[in-house]
């Protein structure tokens, strides 16, 4: 990917300011973020061609972690190597991360606020957002009966055996079945031409795997090491990004007893209204457990796995996308991801939020606002909180 003639050369500070503006204004989730990036870097600045940008997006979709953040990281790397990549990530993530850490500290300082009607409204809002995500991802990732069956079986297994190891096992089995049955493998992959290689891909890959193994070691609940391990493991194992991180973090923070479900879902609902990456929800979780330092550790830990894979694997990704069995296994994993999110939709999202007919009625109204009337999530979240106050008054 060569730079166009006449394109200005930017320092790391300039890259940071550019992505900071995007981090302050990019509402709407990963799909919207990719649209903002395309407008900024393909149409306006002409840093990349349409085909080169499409290749970067396709490659990042194959990885665990937040795809839109990984795309921004890669663009920053193309412009400024490692300092440019860090500047791009920091600028895009900083606004939402600071807000979410501040939100966690506010709830910690004023615990009574966590029992108000606005929390209940945010929980009902999360029901709608996650249900919409399940529907959209299901249509995209489960286009045939075998993959629909795979998603349902994964959901049932997780509801029956709701342990972290079961989530990992279910996705591994889904990938193996996908490879065996040849899910999606009859579709020819597009040729990829990404002349960007890290100088030390093996070192980054080793760091990724080493830290993943360390994250499974026992840690004192609530400690900084525990926060980092929980968030790193989630960032390393989440395929699909965005909403799919919910069940992994719910298992680590709610099912373990470290955080009440109400607080967890309130933070998740607030994260929907923030610009920038949804993974900044990690700042809320870390902030609630370990203050400012805990929030910083959590944000770094959840983004670190995907960053290491960006630096480690561009040549490997090209091979992976062109390999028939690998594509089929990824299709199976993606179907399993839908099942994972479907299980989370029921428990804890639905089970902890919808208790009576009035709750169900508000969920239906919010769904109409989101799916039919296209009310933006940054506006719908505070409206949901207000509706919760009215509902419980």
């Amino acid at each position: 990917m060569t730079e166009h003639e006449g394109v200005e050369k930017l320092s790391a500070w300039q890259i940071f300011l550019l992505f900071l503006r995007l981090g302050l204004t990019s509402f709407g989730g990963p799909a919207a973020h990719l649209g903002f990036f395309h407008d900024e870097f393909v149409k306006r600045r002409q840093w990349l061609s349409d085909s080169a940008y499409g290749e970067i997006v396709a490659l990042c979709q194959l990885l665990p972690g937040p795809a839109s953040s990984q795309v921004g990281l890669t663009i920053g790397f193309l412009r400024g190597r490692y300092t440019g990549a860090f500047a791009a990530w920091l600028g895009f993530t900083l606004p939402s991360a600071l807000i979410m850490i501040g939100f966690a500290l506010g709830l910690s300082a004023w615990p009574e606020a966590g029992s108000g009607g606005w929390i209940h409204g945010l929980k009902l809002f999360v029901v709608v957002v996650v249900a919409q995500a399940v529907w959209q991802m299901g249509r995209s990732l489960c286009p045939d009966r075998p993959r629909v069956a795979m998603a349902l079986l994964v959901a049932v297994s997780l509801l029956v055996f709701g342990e972290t190891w079961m989530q990992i096992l279910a996705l591994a089995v889904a990938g193996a079945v996908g490879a065996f049955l040849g899910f999606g493998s009859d579709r020819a992959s597009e040729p990829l031409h990404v002349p960007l290689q890290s100088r030390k891909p093996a070192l980054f890959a080793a760091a990724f795997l080493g830290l993943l193994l360390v994250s499974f070691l026992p840690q004192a609940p609530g400690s900084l090491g525990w926060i980092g391990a929980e968030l790193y493991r989630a960032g390393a194992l989440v395929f699909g990004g965005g909403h799919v991180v919910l069940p992994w973090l719910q298992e680590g923070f709610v099912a373990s007893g470290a955080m009440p479900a109400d607080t967890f879902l309130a933070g998740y609902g607030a994260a929907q209204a923030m610009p920038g990456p949804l993974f900044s929800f990690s700042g809320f979780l870390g902030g609630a457990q370990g203050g400012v330092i805990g929030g910083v550790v959590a944000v770094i830990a959840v983004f670190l796995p995907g960053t290491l894979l960006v630096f480690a694997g561009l040549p490997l990704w090209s091979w992976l996308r062109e390999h028939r069995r690998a594509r089929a296994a990824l299709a199976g994993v993606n179907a399993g991801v839908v099942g994972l999110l479907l299980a989370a939709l029921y428990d804890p999202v639905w089970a902890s939020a919808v208790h009576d007919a009035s709750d169900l009625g508000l969920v239906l109204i919010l769904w109409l606002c989101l799916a039919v009337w296209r009310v933006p999530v940054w506006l719908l979240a505070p409206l949901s909180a207000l509706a919760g106050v009215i509902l419980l008054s």
Side-chain angles (χ1 to χ4, degrees):
M1 272 171 261
T2 59
E3 292 177 309
H4 296 278
E5 293 293 332
V7 175
E8 74 270 33
K9 295 181 179 180
L10 302 183
S11 65
W13 175 248
Q14 290 172 309
I15 292 174
F16 168 78
L17 292 177
L18 175 57
F19 275 89
L20 179 63
R21 177 171 58 81
L22 290 169
L24 288 167
T25 57
S26 296
F27 293 91
H33 299 163
L34 295 177
F36 285 121
F37 289 164
H38 183 271
D39 288 342
E40 183 70 33
F41 302 115
V42 177
K43 291 185 176 179
R44 183 176 170 218
R45 296 184 178 271
Q46 298 183 347
W47 286 7
L48 302 167
S49 66
D50 276 300
S51 59
Y53 180 76
E55 289 170 0
I56 291 174
V57 172
L59 292 172
C60 292
Q61 294 286 359
L62 296 179
L63 295 173
S68 60
S69 294
Q70 288 167 321
V71 169
L73 183 85
T74 303
I75 293 173
F77 186 56
L78 284 168
R79 298 296 298 185
R81 304 297 288 175
Y82 296 108
T83 55
F86 176 74
W89 171 79
L90 184 64
F92 189 60
T93 307
L94 189 61
S96 55
L98 289 177
I99 294 172
M100 294 308 301
I101 293 172
F103 183 52
L105 297 179
L107 283 184
S108 299
W110 187 21
E112 296 80 7
S115 59
W118 68 277
I119 293 287
H120 186 65
L122 283 179
K123 288 165 61 180
L124 296 176
F125 168 67
V126 171
V127 172
V128 175
V129 169
V130 176
Q132 183 75 354
V134 170
W135 173 252
Q136 293 176 342
M137 292 178 64
R139 292 179 63 186
S140 173
L141 301 179
C142 299
D144 49 42
R145 290 182 179 180
R147 276 179 273 188
V148 170
M150 174 74 73
L152 292 175
L153 287 173
V154 167
V156 170
S157 66
L158 293 179
L159 290 172
V160 175
F161 307 102
E163 302 290 339
T164 302
W165 64 265
M166 190 62 198
Q167 296 178 346
I168 300 171
L169 178 62
L171 292 187
V173 171
V177 172
F180 178 76
L181 297 180
F183 285 167
S185 61
D186 57 339
R187 188 175 53 188
S189 68
E190 299 175 0
L192 297 178
H193 306 286
V194 185
L196 171 65
Q197 298 185 12
S198 171
R199 294 178 179 177
K200 301 177 181 178
L203 182 61
F204 286 115
F208 168 80
L209 292 174
L211 290 172
L212 180 59
L213 292 175
V214 170
S215 72
F216 284 98
L217 297 177
Q219 300 281 346
S223 66
L224 292 179
W226 179 84
I227 293 170
E230 291 291 336
L231 272 300
Y232 185 89
R233 194 162 58 243
L237 300 175
V238 167
F239 282 86
H243 301 291
V244 184
V245 78
L246 174 67
W248 296 96
L249 295 178
Q250 184 273 335
E251 184 66 30
F253 285 82
V254 178
S256 67
M259 178 178 289
D262 286 359
T263 302
F264 179 88
L265 292 176
Y268 191 75
Q272 305 294 325
M274 297 297 107
L278 185 55
F279 269 44
S280 295
F281 174 49
S282 60
F284 173 83
L285 298 176
Q289 295 292 312
V292 174
I293 296 177
V296 173
V297 168
V299 171
I300 293 174
V302 81
F303 282 100
L304 184 57
T307 301
L308 292 173
L309 288 175
V310 166
F311 294 148
L314 279 172
L316 175 62
W317 303 339
S318 300
W319 170 87
L320 190 64
R321 185 167 170 82
E322 295 169 0
H323 196 275
R324 184 176 65 86
R325 287 291 182 188
R327 294 200 319 275
L330 284 170
V333 170
N334 285 335
V337 160
V338 176
L340 191 118
L341 194 56
L342 179 60
L345 173 61
Y346 175 74
D347 184 16
V349 175
W350 181 279
S352 66
V354 181
H355 304 299
D356 51 36
S358 59
D359 289 340
L360 179 59
L362 183 54
V363 165
L364 293 176
I365 293 173
L366 293 175
W367 179 82
L368 285 172
C369 292
L370 182 65
V372 179
W373 299 324
R374 307 294 183 186
V375 177
V377 291
W378 60 266
L379 177 60
L380 193 58
L383 290 177
S384 302
L386 178 61
V389 172
I390 296 173
L391 191 66
L392 295 185
S393 61

